[in-house]
Amino acid sequence: MLTSLKRAGQKGFTIIELLIVIAIIVILAGLVLTNIQGAQAKARDATRLGDINSMFTALEAFHGDNNYYPQTFDNNSLTGVEDGALTDPRGSNSIEILAAVADEAAATTAVQAAANDDTATSSAYVYAAYPTGCSNDCTGYVIGTFTEQTQEDGNNYFVKSSLNN
């Protein structure tokens, strides 16, 4: 007949049972931590995209009032943009104003390069106005930011251009 592995009257778990339970707990903990880290990055990216859209709205309102875009801006010159909207969600960088460039293609290239420059720690928001030599009467702009997660187009940056080119 089969004999029991446990002695009569002895209580407790075997080492194999304990190892199985520990392995299950480690696997579940790994899954939970992976999901939490992804959710935090997704939340920071959503904040970045919301900030870019807020700046976009303020710049378009500025153009509606003045019939040109500013070469540079801050929350004082553009109404409706809060201090926090000009700072990356990690708080490390504020908006970076690039020198005026020749056209939208050059501005887009400059913004993409600057937004992808510091992917390890999150890059600043980047703003480029055009054409070259605009002082306070720029005809367009491109604004963008680094994103921690890859966007639908396969890039790690989000770029938005002016409406009135």
Side-chain angles (χ1 to χ4, degrees):
M1 290 232 155
L2 295 171
T3 59
S4 173
L5 292 177
K6 293 183 181 180
R7 293 185 197 150
Q10 202 174 26
K11 297 180 181 180
F13 296 105
T14 65
I15 191 80
I16 300 294
E17 292 170 331
L18 288 173
L19 288 174
I20 291 172
V21 169
I22 290 171
I24 291 171
I25 290 171
V26 167
I27 290 169
L28 291 174
L31 291 173
V32 167
L33 288 176
T34 301
N35 287 338
I36 288 173
Q37 290 171 345
Q40 289 173 335
K42 191 179 279 188
R44 285 189 297 270
D45 283 347
T47 300
R48 288 182 182 101
L49 300 185
D51 289 349
I52 292 294
N53 287 325
S54 173
M55 290 180 234
F56 173 81
T57 302
L59 286 164
E60 293 304 323
F62 183 93
H63 183 273
D65 292 342
N66 302 299
N67 211 24
Y68 65 88
Y69 294 106
Q71 182 175 1
T72 185
F73 71 90
D74 58 20
N75 60 332
N76 295 326
S77 62
L78 294 177
T79 57
V81 178
E82 298 177 9
D83 289 336
L86 301 179
T87 304
D88 189 74
R90 289 188 175 177
S92 57
N93 297 310
S94 59
I95 190 159
E96 178 182 351
I97 309 296
L98 302 179
V101 294
D103 56 23
E104 183 177 2
T108 301
T109 301
V111 167
Q112 290 170 351
N116 262 340
D117 189 33
D118 190 17
T119 57
T121 59
S122 83
S123 184
Y125 298 124
V126 184
Y127 176 78
Y130 58 89
T132 300
C134 62
S135 56
N136 256 353
D137 50 357
C138 298
T139 59
Y141 67 89
V142 176
I143 192 165
T145 187
F146 159 79
T147 57
E148 294 178 55
Q149 298 196 333
T150 304
Q151 300 297 304
E152 292 175 6
D153 61 2
N155 295 310
N156 278 45
Y157 50 79
F158 176 75
V159 175
K160 202 157 190 169
S161 299
S162 57
L163 293 177
N164 304 300
N165 295 329

